[in-house]
Amino acid sequence: MTTLIDNNANASPTKILVLGATGGTGRQIVKQALARGHQVTALVRSPQKAGDLNGVRLVVGEAREAKVLREALRGQDAVVSALGTPASPFRDVTLLSSATRALVQAMKAEHVARLVAITGIGAGDSRGHGGFLFDRVIFPLLLKKVYADKDRQEAIVRDSGLDWVLVRPTILNDKPGGGAVRALTDLSGFHGGSISRQDVATFVLDQLHSDDWLHRAPLITG
């Protein structure tokens, strides 16, 4: 299934918790959320890295700590997870799955139902659709352990009982957004592709008020 997305949608203001707000995509999510009139809380480990996130309520702490998560979640309507982790060719990765497991438990405790989580091309049944260089070189040499944890992360989200959407962007770039976004669940014949972080942020924020992709994991590309 392929759907063309009009990424100029507006929706009523929402209180949003953003995880991974200091990353490249997270910053775009925060910027666009504020432009839409949403109230944004960011859970960050380093307040120094978040010093330029103006207009955002900061909660400082570790994304795997239940107490910190519950403080950040209190009064929120939805959560966007843009958590990432560096390439790890040798060491096992557990941050994404452990943080997501703690997040799901905290969301249930604070009665927050909507979760939009970004993983990436290569997760789940999107593996093998990233193009020759990504699939044959980058993935096996640098990202295999990261994506093993993304798979665990996705499984936790799927089993959470929450109102979830998993978003799998193709290769990210920093080009200007505003173009049409293709969202696919049937990846037959699809290999490669890229998408701007701005367009990823737009698509992700649109899912806060849309059930079009509820309980699904679309791959998105430009």
Side-chain angles (χ1 to χ4, degrees), residues 93-114:
V93 175
T94 61
L95 170 65
L96 302 173
S97 58
S98 59
T100 300
R101 186 177 295 107
L103 173 65
V104 166
Q105 293 170 354
M107 287 179 68
K108 290 180 177 180
E110 294 296 329
H111 307 289
V112 181
R114 177 70 61 149

Side-chain angles (χ1 to χ4, degrees), residues 7 10-11 19 24 34 45 56 60 66 80 83 116 120 123 149-150 162 169 180 183 193 201 211:
N7 56 12
N10 292 312
L19 305 185
L34 292 172
R45 283 192 299 174
V56 175
V60 179
V80 172
L83 286 172
V116 184
D149 202 39
K150 285 183 184 286
L162 299 172
D211 289 342

Side-chain angles (χ1 to χ4, degrees), residues 55-78:
V56 175
R57 170 184 170 241
L58 295 181
V59 175
V60 179
E62 167 60 52
R64 290 173 284 193
E65 294 180 7
K67 183 178 179 181
V68 173
L69 282 166
R70 292 195 62 173
E71 177 189 348
L73 281 163
R74 204 155 292 131
Q76 304 299 318
D77 299 312

